[in-house]
Structure formats: C-alpha cells, structure tokens
Amino acid sequence: MDITGLGLVSHFGKGLNGFKEALIQGIAQPTQYIFPRRPSLSAPVYAVADDTFNDPMLKPARRANRFSKMAMLATSECLQNSLVGTPADDRMGIVLTTGFGPHTSNM
C-alpha cells in the first residue's frame, strides 16, 4: 500500500496548513456542546466550525450529516494533495479512522 495523499479535517479547520498552525499554537480550548434532547446537559467538545462546511463541493450533500461531510472534505483534500491524476476506480481506496462515527447518531 502506498499512501499518496493526506486529508485532514478537525476542530483546527482543514488541511495541512491548519494542522501546522494548530501545532504551533498549542492546545485549543474545547467548546461547550449542549445536548439537543437534554438542554440542561452540556459537555466540552472539540467541534468542527460551521464555516468549514461552506465548501461549494458539499452543495450536493447538503442533507448529509456533519461526519459524512467531514469525510468528503478530507477525501477531496487527499486527492488534491496526492499528485495522482485521475485514479482508476479499481486502484483507489480510503482509510477512514474515527473514534465512534457521527456524534449526533451516537447520543
């Protein structure tokens, strides 16, 4: 297996430059997430900013959940940074890592 590209989307934003800036700035403070079904409960989270999802590439997926959109953004960035032309469908794959999947589906 050859890793030819890398796509990053997280609370620091997206891309290698965002990741580099996050490493330079140090530990970011989490935001408070208020549970929609239990507004009296909240928890500290490292949430992806809403403006991260303003990418025109996501317009066809406007009804997808945030986790799916994060995967699409990371995949797009990975392909752009990979220096691979148009890959053949039978020669391309993705390794997706996550802790638990979309948080709203798990709560």
Side-chain angles (χ1 to χ4, degrees), residues 8 12-26 77:
L8 300 166
F12 58 74
K14 63 181 180 177
L16 292 173
N17 290 335
F19 183 58
K20 180 181 176 183
E21 287 299 315
L23 290 175
I24 292 169
Q25 292 175 9
E77 181 184 336

Side-chain angles (χ1 to χ4, degrees), residues 58-69:
L58 294 176
K59 191 171 184 177
R62 66 185 181 279
R63 300 177 95 186
N65 64 29
R66 290 171 66 93
F67 182 77
S68 298
K69 290 178 181 180

